[in-house]
Amino acid sequence: MLFLANYISEDKLSEIRNALDIVDVISETVLLKKTGKNFVGLCPFHAEKTPSFSVSPDKQIFYCFGCGSGGNVFSFLMKRDGVPFTEAVRTLARRCGVDLPERSLSPDDQRRIGERERLFEVPRQALECYRQALWHHPEGKQALAYLERRGFTRATVEVFQLGFAPTGWDYLLGSMARKKIAPAALENAGLVVGRKGGSGFYDRFRERIIFPIFDEGARVVGFGGRVMDDSVPKYLNSPETPVYTKRKVLYGLHRAKETCRAAGTVFIVEGYLDLIALHQGGIENAVATLGTALTPEHIRLLTRYAGRMSWCTIPMRPGFVLRSAASTFSGENTLISGSGMCSGRIRRTPASWCCRKGTTRTRS
């Protein structure tokens, strides 16, 4: 009997995550030592003598500064045991006593599900390459320096799993070839572009900070890339793919949803850096629209987690820092409704009400 990923509700995934402590799960494989707020140990995914593997009990994530592996408790089991997402969920569900629905599938259903799961594997592997480049490629130093100048801490860079695409036309192509991932699979994931005349491929993202885009279930589905100078276009985004539809995805929702549910309010901003600045400033019930208009699909998605929504305009001038308390947000109430759109209360929040001069810059 095959377990169907699409039949695992987000509530069930949250129930499993809330019932487990990632430190306990990883401690079965790695000898961890508490250092400050986190735990460290030798990475189980590559050979090393000095511990570079970090586990955060607060964020319920892990990250290795040596090989770039990282993720949540599901990601750890997938990588440790070499199993797909659904099998990792089943294993952890059994461990914490959460019942999951199962149904038998036809061979055609099994084939389609297997193909869909492979579509998630390609961007996951690509993210490892981009993160490796940020921390270990010679050009990664300038990317880290750029993020530091923008006011982002290394802890924030780690939490949001930012990466870097070096100069050149084939960094990702070469890195993924060593992982035995074919160019055609990369093209299907929107990561490479076919050359005119059919003479090969080249990397879509080059010399850019990389922002991984996660779906509601914390799976990588796409990427955004930002230049570090005045080049145009400033931002370059993944095209839509079989697993990424822009109007249905909100940046940061996988991290913000539980906070939104607890607060009953979600703040909506436009871009990657705006969203990350809010979270670093202590306002974690926030998401971003990836530069698109707020869609009916976005509204329906957000109403699962919050009854109030506030659209925030972030200042484009340097030298501003977001306040560290969401209570500073206030503004004019506007009721959003229309054909096919779930009604919801949207609050417009001018930048002058949510920012003050300081150290964390929020220019996009």
Side-chain angles (χ1 to χ4, degrees), residues 277-293:
L278 274 170
H279 279 245
Q280 181 171 286
I283 302 168
E284 297 186 352
N285 53 324
V287 298
T289 60
L290 298 168
T292 67

Side-chain angles (χ1 to χ4, degrees), residues 10 19 53 69 88 101 104 122 128 136 167 184 204 235 255 258 260 285 301 319 322 335 362:
E10 183 57 35
F53 185 84
S69 297
S104 57
V122 173
E128 288 191 6
H136 300 290
T167 306
R204 180 179 299 276
Y235 285 97
R255 293 192 52 78
E258 297 305 328
C260 293
N285 53 324
L301 187 58
L322 295 162
L335 188 65
T362 59

Side-chain angles (χ1 to χ4, degrees), residues 324-354:
S324 60
S327 61
T328 60
F329 286 80
S330 60
E332 172 189 349
N333 287 333
T334 304
L335 188 65
I336 301 296
S337 62
S339 176
M341 178 179 286
C342 296
S343 295
R345 189 164 294 281
I346 307 294
R347 174 177 291 176
R348 295 176 183 168
T349 306
S352 59
W353 294 345
C354 63

Side-chain angles (χ1 to χ4, degrees), residues 107-253:
D108 284 345
D109 285 339
Q110 294 183 31
R111 176 183 54 78
R112 284 193 293 269
I113 292 167
E115 290 174 353
R116 182 170 177 81
E117 289 187 350
R118 284 191 289 274
L119 290 172
F120 288 108
E121 180 64 15
V122 173
R124 189 186 72 79
Q125 294 278 3
L127 176 56
E128 288 191 6
C129 295
Y130 289 136
R131 294 182 73 183
Q132 183 78 7
L134 179 65
W135 295 103
H136 300 290
H137 192 280
E139 295 179 25
K141 292 181 180 179
Q142 63 176 324
L144 286 169
Y146 170 83
L147 290 167
E148 185 176 352
R149 288 196 302 273
R150 296 297 299 267
F152 297 108
T153 66
R154 293 205 171 194
T156 295
V157 171
E158 177 186 343
V159 164
F160 282 89
Q161 301 187 54
L162 304 189
F164 176 65
T167 306
W169 297 91
D170 60 358
Y171 167 77
L172 187 65
L173 274 166
S175 298
M176 296 293 268
R178 290 188 286 275
K179 294 174 177 283
K180 303 188 184 305
I181 296 178
L186 297 177
E187 183 182 33
N188 195 36
L191 293 165
V192 300
V193 180
R195 295 183 184 276
K196 292 182 179 179
S199 58
F201 300 88
Y202 61 89
D203 291 356
R204 180 179 299 276
F205 299 103
R206 305 179 303 279
E207 201 171 359
R208 291 175 181 268
I209 303 290
I210 296 296
F211 302 87
I213 301 167
F214 295 87
D215 67 6
E216 191 181 4
R219 296 173 297 188
V220 188
V221 294
F223 298 91
R226 191 200 191 283
V227 297
M228 297 175 289
D229 54 21
D230 295 327
S231 302
V232 292
K234 181 191 292 186
Y235 285 97
L236 185 65
N237 297 308
S238 291
E240 294 199 344
T241 70
V243 296
Y244 175 52
T245 304
K246 188 178 293 187
R247 71 178 185 277
K248 297 180 179 179
V249 176
L250 287 160
Y251 183 65
L253 179 61

